[in-house]
Amino acid sequence: MSTDRYSIFSVLREALRGHTGWKPAWREPQPKAAYDIVIVGGGGHGLATAHYLAKVHGLTNIAVVEKGWIGGGNVGRNTTIVRSNYLLPGNVPFYEHSMKLWEELEQDLNYNAMVSQRGVVNLFHSDGQRDAYARRGNAMRLHGVDSELLDVPELKRILPMLDFDNARFPVKGALRQKRGGTVRHDAVAWGYARAADRRGVDIIQNCEVTGFRIEAGRVVGVETSRGFIGAKKVGLACAGNSSRVAGMAGLRLPIESHVLQAFVSEGIKPFIDTVCTFGAGHFYISQSDKGGLVFGGDIDGYNSYASRGNLPTIEDVAEGGMALMPAIGRVKLLRHWGGIMDMSMDGSPIIDRTPIEGLYLNAGWCYGGFKATPASGWSFAHLIATDTPHETATAYRLDRFATGRVIDEKGVGAQPNLH
């Protein structure tokens, strides 16, 4: 278990000796025959869960099994945005908890995750949208979350590149959360992996789960490509593959998997210093520290497990960007990629026990998975360790679709591809 800490002194020391003394950020252990807890999925949520199980609950006989490599899944396939500007009482406390954890993440992990609270600006283009955002802002403030409505003169000062005068959907104002912003996505995975490893967690890469061993209604371990691993408890944090993995245990989840594409442009000079979302279409944009514009839009409309995009969605996203800020039409697209979204029936996540004793589920994150990473790990760890839901995640029950207690943030009904 590594005990080295990163600091200005360690950076200077390594600079003087040609950076030859750095050690691997985490170990490459062989899987043991059994663990107290096995977390399936080595993305942000799985690694955060392992970290908080060890740090908060003192449990260290834990393995995180990942079918690929750390940072190769959805945690490295998003647009890096973090925020807590939600409306419904089932969501606001949870995402605000996540925002507070983001604010102290780098000190907690001893890792530079490049947390940048540059603000999130949600534009509105009609009186109805203004009223909806005013309601959202009021709901946020009632939960102690920062928010403010901006008028057009304020927006012109913050985002002068927007098309205020000739747009098909004129900009009339915005709701801003100053504490929102961006975080380097793969650094989050690496930081949590290193922190969990430092506390004794085994991170086992290239170890695909192929089945579950269930005896008398209780899970006793997982079958993997590297052999059977026994476990007293198993947590599923598999993002877009949740349905497939849960299906191996005989569970059918209220989830559909869809592709969500993300895009990065060539590097340009400083252009936009906040996160901005288009209210008349699904388009969101920020600028990375390397200068590339990072943006995205809607999920693809069909079910898929393929991490690749398609041209109709590229065209739709480009149209949204051009309608909002025509200047980006002169910028070249550098690359794009797809992540697999586990879209739930009401657009909100699931953190709950399953009908199988000892098997726990963390899924259904839709668009909100990355921003939820710290609170998801914290709440899932609490659930696994204590068998009771964390106070901020009590609404994320698996049975809410049967009882009618859905959390429909967008109010579009039980159709996953509209959330």
Side-chain angles (χ1 to χ4, degrees), residues 61-104:
N61 189 24
I62 301 169
V64 177
V65 296
E66 166 57 40
K67 70 174 182 177
W69 67 93
I70 298 302
N74 275 8
V75 70
R77 293 174 174 268
N78 58 75
T79 49
T80 75
I81 299 169
V82 299
R83 57 184 176 85
S84 59
N85 55 349
Y86 280 75
L87 170 66
L88 299 182
N91 281 330
V92 182
F94 176 85
Y95 284 97
E96 177 60 11
H97 180 216
S98 199
M99 181 59 67
K100 291 177 179 177
L101 290 172
W102 282 122
E103 290 173 328
E104 60 187 35

Side-chain angles (χ1 to χ4, degrees), residues 45-321:
H45 291 218
L47 293 168
T49 300
H51 169 65
Y52 294 123
L53 278 168
K55 178 190 175 186
V56 178
H57 301 281
L59 305 173
T60 57
N61 189 24
I62 301 169
V64 177
V65 296
E66 166 57 40
K67 70 174 182 177
W69 67 93
I70 298 302
N74 275 8
V75 70
R77 293 174 174 268
N78 58 75
T79 49
T80 75
I81 299 169
V82 299
R83 57 184 176 85
S84 59
N85 55 349
Y86 280 75
L87 170 66
L88 299 182
N91 281 330
V92 182
F94 176 85
Y95 284 97
E96 177 60 11
H97 180 216
S98 199
M99 181 59 67
K100 291 177 179 177
L101 290 172
W102 282 122
E103 290 173 328
E104 60 187 35
L105 181 75
E106 293 169 318
Q107 289 73 31
D108 178 24
L109 303 184
N110 181 227
Y111 202 89
N112 180 15
M114 300 172 70
V115 178
S116 173
Q117 292 181 276
R118 61 187 66 185
V120 174
V121 176
N122 300 118
L123 303 176
F124 56 78
H125 308 267
S126 68
D127 292 346
Q129 276 193 320
R130 177 202 61 212
D131 294 345
Y133 275 139
R135 180 189 175 206
R136 180 181 294 261
N138 289 335
M140 292 166 62
R141 285 191 287 272
L142 286 172
H143 284 89
V145 184
D146 64 300
S147 70
E148 59 180 331
L149 279 179
L150 304 179
D151 58 20
V152 171
E154 290 174 302
L155 271 179
K156 286 185 175 180
R157 178 177 57 83
I158 298 169
L159 296 165
M161 77 293 292
L162 300 183
D163 190 348
F164 290 95
D165 301 321
N166 302 306
R168 180 182 179 187
F169 304 99
V171 178
K172 293 194 172 183
L175 176 69
R176 177 168 66 172
Q177 183 185 21
K178 284 186 175 181
R179 291 168 55 240
T182 62
V183 185
R184 173 71 182 267
H185 43 20
D186 43 15
V188 172
W190 301 334
Y192 271 122
R194 178 175 178 271
D197 176 86
R198 285 165 60 89
R199 294 183 180 274
V201 174
D202 283 357
I203 298 171
I204 306 170
Q205 302 179 80
N206 301 307
C207 182
E208 183 175 2
V209 170
T210 58
F212 295 86
R213 193 173 294 182
I214 300 170
E215 298 176 359
R218 183 179 183 86
V219 66
V220 295
V222 293
E223 303 285 355
T224 78
S225 57
R226 297 177 65 174
F228 174 75
I229 302 175
K232 298 176 182 177
K233 294 182 177 182
V234 177
L236 305 184
C238 311
N241 287 299
S242 295
S243 294
R244 290 200 292 191
V245 176
M248 299 176 190
L251 299 176
R252 185 181 179 187
L253 301 181
I255 287 171
E256 292 182 1
S257 293
H258 291 258
V259 181
L260 176 64
Q261 297 184 60
F263 306 81
V264 172
S265 78
E266 62 181 329
I268 61 175
K269 293 181 178 181
F271 177 72
I272 179 171
D273 62 357
T274 187
V275 178
C276 180
T277 73
F278 187 24
H282 202 161
F283 176 84
Y284 39 91
I285 187 169
S286 63
Q287 188 168 13
S288 75
D289 292 337
K290 291 183 177 180
L293 300 178
V294 184
F295 52 94
D298 272 316
I299 56 172
D300 292 0
Y302 55 88
N303 298 345
S304 176
Y305 291 109
S307 299
R308 58 178 180 267
N310 64 41
L311 290 174
T313 300
I314 295 174
E315 182 179 9
D316 179 70
V317 172
E319 287 177 349

